[in-house]
Each structure stands twice: as C-alpha cells, then as structure tokens.
Amino acid sequence: MVGVYDVYRNSAGAALKDADQVPVNDPFGAISAMAAVTNHVGFGVTAAVTFEQPYVLARRLSTLDHLTKGRVAWNVVSSYLNSAALNIGMEQQIGHDERYDMAEEYMQVMYKLWEGSWEEGAVHRDKESGIFTDPAKVHPIRHDGKYYKVPGFHLCEPSPQRTPVIFQAGASPKGQAFASRHAEGMFILTTSIEQSKAVTTKIRDQVEAAGRSRDSVKIFTLLTVITGASDEAAERKYQEFLSYASPEGMLALYGGWTGIDFSTYDPNQPLEALENDSLRTTLESLTSGHDGKTWTVKDVIRERCIGGLGPVLVGGPQKVADVLEEWVDEGGIDGFNLAYAVTPGTTSDFINYVVPELVKRGRAQTEYKPGTFREKLIGTDTPYTEDTHPAAEQRGAYADKESVQDKTTDSNFAEEKIPQAAQ
Amino acid sequence: MVGVYDVYRNSAGAALKDADQVPVNDPFGAISAMAAVTNHVGFGVTAAVTFEQPYVLARRLSTLDHLTKGRVAWNVVSSYLNSAALNIGMEQQIGHDERYDMAEEYMQVMYKLWEGSWEEGAVHRDKESGIFTDPAKVHPIRHDGKYYKVPGFHLCEPSPQRTPVIFQAGASPKGQAFASRHAEGMFILTTSIEQSKAVTTKIRDQVEAAGRSRDSVKIFTLLTVITGASDEAAERKYQEFLSYASPEGMLALYGGWTGIDFSTYDPNQPLEALENDSLRTTLESLTSGHDGKTWTVKDVIRERCIGGLGPVLVGGPQKVADVLEEWVDEGGIDGFNLAYAVTPGTTSDFINYVVPELVKRGRAQTEYKPGTFREKLIGTDTPYTEDTHPAAEQRGAYADKESVQDKTTDSNFAEEKIPQAAQ
C-alpha cells in the first residue's frame, strides 16, 4: 500500500511508533529473490490501479511472471488511502465508484496487452533465420478509452501465465461486481461461519451471474490462528501476545481501515451508549461469540489488537483443525488468508502443529501439482485463465487486426546481409 | 527503457525481428535475486523521471537499496522515446529542455525523501519501550513545486546509502549541466582517446564549477572489447560475429538513438555525397581510425553492427590492456561501460583474458573494498553522498521543522496499556 494510516489522532504518529504498515517497502522488490530459492509457492503482490499507468504495470507483472516461471498473482486494489493520492500529486482521492470504473478499463488494457498483443507462436528464437519475434504476430492494442490511451504493443514476450492470477478483496457493491468478473481468488472478512456461508454463497451467485462457474473463484477468509501443542499452550501464547499489544497501534490501523478517529471517544463507554449507529453496529459485530458481558469501546479495541478485524482462533491442533474444517464445509470457503500475530512464529506454529493434523485428516496436500500458480490454485489444465474469464476475450482477439509488420515501409537496406565483414 | 525503437521503416518490425531491446522486461525485477547470490557487485538500474511519480520511485529504489545492502545505483534518464510517452497517455513527449527542468525538480523531491524525511536515529526498534520509529524524527517534506506535489514523508526507513549512487549519461548542454550537479557516475560515448580527453576535461571543469571536486564523478566510456588468447584469435572471433550481424537491426537501434530513418537512403552512396550535413558528419565520425578508403553508408552500418555508436577494440590480452591503459591515462576516464557482442561470451572473454593481464599490471583490483557501492566506487568513507553533492543539502534539513509527532492530537486512548488481556 502506497500510503500511511493517519486518521487516528489526525497523524501518522501512532502508526510510525508501532510500525503499523510503515515503514513499508515495495512488495515487488523481494519476489525474484524468493522465487530463486523456491519451486512451488505462489507470490501474490498487491498493486493499485490508480497510481501507475497500465502499460508500465503490465510490464512489471509480466517480468515477475517470467522470473517466477508463472507463479505470480496480482491482488488488484483501487487504493483507499487519501495520503497516497496526495503524494502522487492528486488533489484528492478519486471517488469510490469512479475508481471502479477506472479499474474496469484498466483491466481491459491489461488483458489486451497480456493476452491480445502477442499471438501464440509470435516468438521464434530461430538462430538459423535470425528471427527472434515475428512482427506479423505482434499487435498494437490501439486502446483509446475514457481514462487510458495505449496505442502500442506489450513490451514483454508472453509470460508463462500471460495474465497473472487475479486476486481481489472488494466488499462494496461496486467492488463485488468487479470481483465477480475478474477475481480468481478472493479475500473476504467474515466474523462467523454463518456469515461466511452467506457471503460465499452470494459471491458464487454473482460469479455465476457473470457467466463463470461457481467454483471458478477460490475464496479465502481472514483468520489469525494462535496454536501450540495443546489448547492450554495456545491460550497461554495468546495471553502473552496480548500483553505486548498496542491499543494505539490498533487504533491507527482501524482509523485507516474505517476512516474513524477514535481519539475523542471515551474508552470506558459501553457500546450500547454509542450515538453513532454505524460505528456501534460495527463494533458490536466484532464482539460476536463473546456474549453475556457488557462490552466497552476499550474492550473491543483490546480484543482486536490481535487479528485486526478478522476472527482469532486459539487452540491446539485438534481444535484448530475442527474449526477449519467447519469453515470449509459449512462456511463455503476454499482456504484461509492467515494473518500473523508474530512473524515468523505464527506461521511456523501453524506449519508445525496444524498442518500435520490436516494432512492426517486428508485436508492438506502433501505435494504440489506441477505447473503454474494458476494450475495449482484453480486446477486448470493450462496456465491461462478459464474461457469464461474476461481475460480470455482478448486471447487471439487481434490476430486478424493490424500487426507491427503491416506498418513497415520499404527499405533499401531490407536485403542487406553481412556474409563477411566489410573490409 | 519503457518504449521501442520504431523510427526505421516507420515501424518496430525490424526491432522485434532482431530482438533489439524488445522484448524488454522491467530491470527492477531481477535485482533481488542477483543480490541474494552476490556480495560486492553493484546494480545500476535505469529509470526515467518522466513516467513515474517520485514518491513511488523513491520507495522502489529504497527497497532495492535495503535488499542489496546498499549496492544500488540509479541511472537517471529523461526518456527520449516518443513511443513510451504515447503509451502512458501523454499526447507527445515533453520538450527536451522542459524534461530537464522536471528532472531537476524530481531530484529535489527524491533527495528530500531520502535524506531529509527521516533523521538519523529516527528508527529505534526498541522492544522494551515498544517504539519502532520516533515520529518526532520523521518529517513530511511538504514539497509543493511546479511539477510535483509531495506533502508526506518517505515510506521507507533510511536504506544503507539513503540516496542510491547517481548515474547519468546526458550529452546535450542541459543534460551535461544536470549531470555535473547530480552524477556520481557518468556514461560517455567517445570514438577516440583524443575526443575522450576533451570530453572528460570538460565534464570535470563543469563538475568543479558546480562546487564539486574534479574526481567526485567517475567517468565510464562505452567500449566493446572482442578478445581471445591472441590478436589473431580475437580478429577471427570478430569476423565471425560480424557474419551473424544484422544491418536492419542496427538501423532499428540507430533510428531510435538518432531519430533518422535510413530506409530511404542509398546503401551504396559514399558518405561525402550525403546532402544532410549533420548526418554526414555523424557517420564520418564513426569511421575514424579507418582512413584511406571511400566509405559508403552501407560500410558504416556494417561496421557499426558491433559496438553500436561506440568504439570496438579487437585484440589479445596485451593489445587490449595497452589500449585500456591509454584510455585511462590519456583519455581521462575512470573505467569502461563494456558493451557486448554476445552474452555472456563477450563478458566472460574479458574476465578470462583481459582481467588477469590488468591485475598483472596493477590496473585491476583483486579484492573489493568493504561497504556500500558508493564506498567502493567513489572511495568515500561513509555510505552517503559527499557534502558537495546536492543530496547533502537535504541531510538533516528538516530536523527543526514540522514532524509527524507535532500533528498528533490528544487521545483518550494514549495511556491505554494491555498488561493483561481483557477478560
């Protein structure tokens, strides 16, 4: 995310102090190093469609797809931080709905570059004829839209997946409509299995309405798992983590996510006394599963210092595996967007304690399917998007259109060869 | 370079066919992988100041400087390819002089972010107090200029070098003035040692006029070295390489570099018959060192199929080392921007045949100086730019100005601690 959390106390001070997503380096930078020492893991990289021209970002993502041998996913965001917009010279953040209109056109440009510009077989690499690329099979995309103008052809030769696996996390109606067309992976945030079932059903309904199969999108719900050898050990760990937590850091994040500055609220105010209806509802939803007590604002903030806005699951391998199975079987999700309380501890705990239990139950794979990230994740037989995905509409769409070859004028040098050097 | 060579024959066809800098991937992508398997080599990455906002590029470069432990150089270009401008939605390329005005302001923004925004000692990483960064030592740069507005602070904590080593290759008067202020490394193109002496003297005069010492900029001249075990072996290799060369590929590159489309010229026309004065002069300068024959346009193009616009040196280790010494001792240069005819062959030949001879003569190092790329290249005692460099003007410049801490408003949660989890 190119921006900082500066809503709480009208400043990024709390975020800086606690290092709440700041400092934040460029996520693209580290991927090739990680790819060089792994064979199967996929790399999801977040990039906003509002801050960089599609012609440039398409090249950046194709490059990573080449370097990772087809293991890149792109988490498409239309940035929501005002501080980011200001720092790239915009007077203010673009309106929410218009952002999604821009994002829709942006995706069309990307698909044209990735799928349409270079036909299959355009690259010969033929040492005998001296032809690397056949210009007749490379096409300028001639995109001339409302927000973007891209007359040229894609700068990279097609990468293993062409279009990286598309991830999205839109929660608004516009965001959901966008995701139902483009997303192959979706991040959701639900606080209960019942809610998850409702959300995933709605998403799959929308995906189906967009002409795609219900399981063509893989849905991941945000979850923080604190685990250990036993339920008691996990609970002790959780309590220890909470003792290190920072309420102000939580409020810095919460301010960025929601736009609400908590600094003027009374920490000891019971939730039911809050006058702001939408805030009260939001906070009450974060207390679900903890009935029978009067929650104060402070209670919610403390509770949420681990797990952010998502649920926290504390327990030993059996308990965790039971709940995960329930999320999948009852909640309709495909997997988990695992957040961490400490790094790498939260992740390695999950690997050491939970994964073996899931394998025992036949719920986790023991080896990777070969191929690109898309083949591993979606289970497709090719590295490319399914035919029902909008990227597929651009596949071969330029084959009978203008090519780079067409434009070439005559040349007196066209027949020149150098059989031997001029002396 | 975000663009393609499409002047020759009014098309990128020739460039595509020969793979003349197209396809071209994002150069940033591969750096972390290369850094992970090396300890000393520096990475110079080219990025134009016209296509990406400084706030975003500053983060990208800081990230790489972190990941390489201070081994990044930035080759600053103000892009000259019209095709690139069109594809990022600009109606046409910005005028040359205005590009340098924009570049000058761009550099000021970068230095403010890299040098001024985060004071030395801003980052505590203090586990006891829970403070990662002291917001009182982080400053919004409040840049409000003619071309760029960046109110915020830098997103990355200071990287080892803060400002990457700055490279430049400006040849125009505006470009030279820019380079004399900012460049710590300069790429030049000269076709003779005499010309090199004149150019390097002028550069160092300008650098001195800009208040910097004459040797604070390291100058690298473009050179292609074809070498082998003996002069004869090198000459055979050169002739073989020429037999593979592509005149049309050369013209595609030459068209992009100069804006001249050769397709309508007569290949067999002698240079002295060319009516375009500046073209004739340019082509004649490329024939230097080959006197006593009548050169045709075709002859020059063929000759230039290896080495581009720079000189080509063909010979065994002794001959090559003799000439390199002369370039350094008489031409006033610090090193060579070695181009290749084949890759990795041209480079490995140089390492295998020439480097041992240079070591024998005490002209090549046998071990690296420790530290960052700047310390290795410039010989400074710190990872930062010299005090006479414009980046240094921003060092500590914000220390007594507004900090992120200043803006913080009161909060009812400021004193909240979580000694034990809420139950």
Side-chain angles (χ1 to χ4, degrees):
Chain A
M1 188 55 59
V2 185
V4 291
Y5 292 105
D6 57 5
V7 169
Y8 176 65
R9 303 181 77 173
N10 189 32
S11 160
L16 275 169
K17 208 180 268 183
D18 279 350
D20 299 322
Q21 300 193 17
V22 59
V24 56
N25 289 328
D26 171 27
F28 284 69
I31 290 178
S32 69
M34 295 189 289
V37 294
T38 55
N39 291 312
H40 293 290
V41 68
F43 302 97
V45 61
T46 298
V49 295
T50 31
F51 296 151
E52 190 164 35
Q53 288 289 323
Y55 184 68
V56 179
L57 184 59
R59 180 171 88 133
R60 217 184 288 289
L61 285 163
S62 290
T63 298
L64 289 184
D65 203 47
H66 278 296
L67 290 172
T68 60
K69 297 190 166 69
R71 290 187 281 147
V72 166
W74 173 28
N75 181 30
V76 182
V77 302
S78 100
S79 178
Y80 55 91
L81 288 178
N82 200 41
S83 66
L86 290 174
N87 282 307
I88 62 160
M90 292 157 68
E91 290 300 318
Q92 58 179 10
Q93 181 63 274
I94 300 160
H96 178 274
D97 280 8
E98 183 163 25
R99 285 212 309 274
Y100 274 104
D101 290 342
M102 290 179 71
E104 187 61 45
E105 188 185 329
Y106 200 104
M107 297 307 286
Q108 292 305 319
V109 178
M110 298 300 257
Y111 298 150
K112 287 176 180 180
L113 290 168
W114 284 328
E115 304 283 344
S117 185
W118 294 57
E119 286 182 57
E120 289 289 315
V123 177
H124 291 201
R125 294 180 192 279
D126 186 341
K127 290 181 184 175
E128 292 305 315
S129 67
I131 293 177
F132 189 96
T133 304
D134 177 3
K137 295 194 169 181
V138 178
H139 308 276
I141 66 168
R142 301 284 174 226
H143 181 86
D144 188 2
K146 182 173 175 194
Y147 300 105
Y148 304 103
K149 291 189 202 318
V150 183
F153 58 87
H154 190 35
L155 287 171
C156 304
E157 76 173 277
S159 68
Q161 300 183 115
R162 286 186 175 249
T163 297
V165 178
I166 305 293
F167 271 74
Q168 237 273 311
S172 67
K174 272 260 188 182
Q176 283 178 8
F178 180 89
S180 65
R181 281 192 300 277
H182 301 283
E184 301 173 88
M186 274 196 72
F187 296 122
I188 64 169
L189 189 162
T190 54
T191 50
S192 70
I193 286 166
E194 296 67 38
Q195 190 194 2
S196 177
K197 183 167 185 59
V199 169
T200 56
T201 301
K202 188 173 166 208
I203 287 171
R204 296 192 201 281
D205 286 349
Q206 287 181 321
V207 166
E208 202 168 34
R212 305 167 63 198
S213 71
R214 296 183 73 80
D215 60 353
S216 65
V217 59
K218 302 304 172 192
I219 305 174
F220 302 86
T221 195
L222 181 65
L223 183 66
T224 305
V225 175
I226 309 293
T227 189
S230 66
D231 288 353
E232 296 69 29
E235 182 62 30
R236 277 196 303 275
K237 201 175 286 180
Y238 178 57
Q239 294 301 332
E240 190 199 347
F241 289 169
L242 272 181
S243 76
Y244 302 133
S246 159
E248 285 225 300
M250 169 60 202
L251 292 174
L253 290 171
Y254 199 91
W257 292 330
T258 65
I260 299 169
D261 177 5
F262 270 81
S263 59
T264 57
Y265 286 89
D266 174 0
N268 298 308
Q269 192 169 22
L271 294 192
E272 54 257 40
L274 281 170
E275 287 175 15
N276 182 326
D277 281 346
S278 102
L279 174 62
R280 190 183 59 246
T281 311
T282 303
L283 291 183
E284 280 174 352
S285 79
L286 296 176
T287 67
S288 63
H290 298 268
D291 301 326
K293 66 170 270 190
T294 301
W295 285 75
T296 64
V297 173
K298 182 164 73 178
D299 291 339
V300 181
I301 300 308
R302 281 177 164 174
E303 181 77 17
R304 293 286 109 193
C305 278
I306 288 178
L309 301 180
V312 181
L313 174 54
V314 182
Q318 314 291 333
K319 178 178 168 191
V320 170
D322 287 348
V323 178
L324 295 185
E325 286 191 321
E326 204 182 346
W327 276 95
V328 171
D329 294 341
E330 308 297 325
I333 59 121
D334 299 287
F336 299 90
N337 176 13
L338 291 174
Y340 59 80
V342 298
T343 176
T346 306
T347 308
S348 49
D349 281 351
F350 190 89
I351 293 167
N352 294 331
Y353 296 111
V354 180
V355 171
E357 179 63 28
L358 292 175
V359 167
K360 204 185 296 172
R361 300 183 184 193
R363 293 287 196 158
Q365 63 191 0
T366 52
E367 56 185 20
Y368 284 97
K369 188 183 164 183
T372 61
F373 184 53
R374 178 171 286 113
E375 288 159 276
K376 289 175 170 63
L377 183 77
I378 312 289
T380 50
D381 290 331
T382 82
Y384 304 143
T385 63
E386 293 178 287
D387 289 343
T388 51
H389 189 276
E393 290 166 25
Q394 301 300 335
R395 207 169 291 147
Y398 288 86
D400 56 358
K401 296 214 174 79
E402 171 195 359
S403 80
V404 174
Q405 183 72 69
D406 300 335
K407 260 189 89 195
T408 303
T409 55
D410 286 341
S411 171
N412 293 328
F413 290 83
E415 301 306 315
E416 287 296 322
K417 294 279 178 279
I418 307 190
Q420 211 46 245
Q423 288 298 328
Chain B
M1 187 55 59
V2 185
V4 291
Y5 293 106
D6 58 4
V7 169
Y8 176 64
R9 304 181 77 174
N10 190 31
S11 160
L16 275 169
K17 209 179 267 183
D18 281 349
D20 299 323
Q21 301 194 17
V22 60
V24 56
N25 289 329
D26 171 27
F28 283 69
I31 290 179
S32 69
M34 295 190 289
V37 293
T38 55
N39 290 311
H40 293 291
V41 69
F43 302 96
V45 61
T46 298
V49 296
T50 33
F51 296 152
E52 190 164 35
Q53 289 289 324
Y55 184 68
V56 179
L57 184 59
R59 181 172 88 133
R60 218 184 287 288
L61 286 164
S62 290
T63 298
L64 289 184
D65 203 47
H66 278 296
L67 290 171
T68 61
K69 297 191 165 70
R71 291 188 281 148
V72 165
W74 174 29
N75 181 30
V76 183
V77 302
S78 101
S79 178
Y80 56 90
L81 288 178
N82 201 40
S83 66
L86 290 175
N87 282 306
I88 61 161
M90 292 157 67
E91 289 300 317
Q92 57 179 8
Q93 182 62 274
I94 300 159
H96 179 274
D97 281 8
E98 183 163 25
R99 286 214 307 274
Y100 274 105
D101 291 342
M102 289 180 71
E104 186 62 45
E105 188 185 329
Y106 200 105
M107 297 307 288
Q108 292 305 320
V109 177
M110 298 298 258
Y111 298 150
K112 287 176 180 179
L113 290 168
W114 284 328
E115 304 283 344
S117 185
W118 293 58
E119 286 182 58
E120 289 290 315
V123 177
H124 290 201
R125 294 179 192 279
D126 187 341
K127 291 181 183 175
E128 293 305 315
S129 67
I131 292 177
F132 190 96
T133 304
D134 176 2
K137 293 194 169 180
V138 178
H139 308 275
I141 66 168
R142 300 286 175 225
H143 181 86
D144 187 2
K146 182 175 174 191
Y147 300 105
Y148 304 103
K149 293 192 201 314
V150 183
F153 58 86
H154 191 34
L155 287 170
C156 305
E157 77 172 275
S159 68
Q161 300 183 115
R162 284 185 175 252
T163 298
V165 178
I166 305 292
F167 270 74
Q168 237 274 311
S172 68
K174 272 259 189 180
Q176 284 178 6
F178 180 88
S180 65
R181 281 192 300 278
H182 300 283
E184 301 174 88
M186 274 195 71
F187 296 122
I188 64 169
L189 190 162
T190 55
T191 51
S192 70
I193 287 167
E194 295 68 38
Q195 190 195 1
S196 176
K197 184 169 185 59
V199 168
T200 56
T201 302
K202 189 174 166 208
I203 288 171
R204 296 192 201 280
D205 287 348
Q206 286 181 322
V207 166
E208 202 168 34
R212 305 167 63 197
S213 71
R214 296 184 72 80
D215 61 352
S216 65
V217 59
K218 303 302 174 192
I219 304 174
F220 302 85
T221 196
L222 181 64
L223 184 66
T224 305
V225 174
I226 310 292
T227 189
S230 66
D231 289 354
E232 295 70 29
E235 183 61 30
R236 276 196 303 276
K237 199 174 287 180
Y238 178 56
Q239 294 302 331
E240 191 201 346
F241 289 169
L242 273 182
S243 76
Y244 301 132
S246 159
E248 285 224 300
M250 169 62 202
L251 292 174
L253 290 172
Y254 199 93
W257 292 330
T258 64
I260 299 169
D261 177 4
F262 270 80
S263 59
T264 58
Y265 285 89
D266 174 1
N268 298 306
Q269 193 170 21
L271 294 191
E272 55 256 42
L274 281 170
E275 287 174 14
N276 181 326
D277 282 347
S278 100
L279 175 62
R280 192 182 59 246
T281 310
T282 304
L283 291 183
E284 281 175 350
S285 78
L286 296 175
T287 68
S288 63
H290 298 269
D291 301 326
K293 66 168 267 188
T294 301
W295 285 74
T296 63
V297 173
K298 182 165 73 179
D299 291 338
V300 180
I301 299 308
R302 284 176 161 177
E303 181 77 19
R304 293 287 108 191
C305 277
I306 288 178
L309 301 179
V312 181
L313 175 53
V314 182
Q318 313 291 333
K319 179 178 165 189
V320 170
D322 287 348
V323 178
L324 295 185
E325 287 192 320
E326 204 182 344
W327 275 95
V328 172
D329 295 340
E330 308 297 325
I333 59 121
D334 299 287
F336 300 89
N337 177 12
L338 292 174
Y340 60 81
V342 297
T343 178
T346 306
T347 308
S348 49
D349 281 351
F350 190 89
I351 293 167
N352 293 331
Y353 295 112
V354 181
V355 171
E357 180 63 27
L358 292 174
V359 167
K360 205 187 297 173
R361 299 182 187 194
R363 292 288 195 157
Q365 64 190 359
T366 52
E367 56 185 22
Y368 285 97
K369 188 183 163 181
T372 61
F373 184 54
R374 178 170 285 114
E375 289 160 276
K376 289 176 170 63
L377 183 76
I378 313 290
T380 49
D381 291 331
T382 82
Y384 303 144
T385 64
E386 294 178 287
D387 290 342
T388 52
H389 189 276
E393 291 166 24
Q394 301 300 336
R395 206 168 293 147
Y398 288 86
D400 56 359
K401 296 213 174 80
E402 171 196 358
S403 79
V404 174
Q405 184 72 70
D406 300 335
K407 260 188 88 194
T408 303
T409 55
D410 286 340
S411 172
N412 293 328
F413 291 81
E415 301 306 315
E416 286 299 321
K417 294 277 178 280
I418 306 191
Q420 210 46 244
Q423 290 298 328

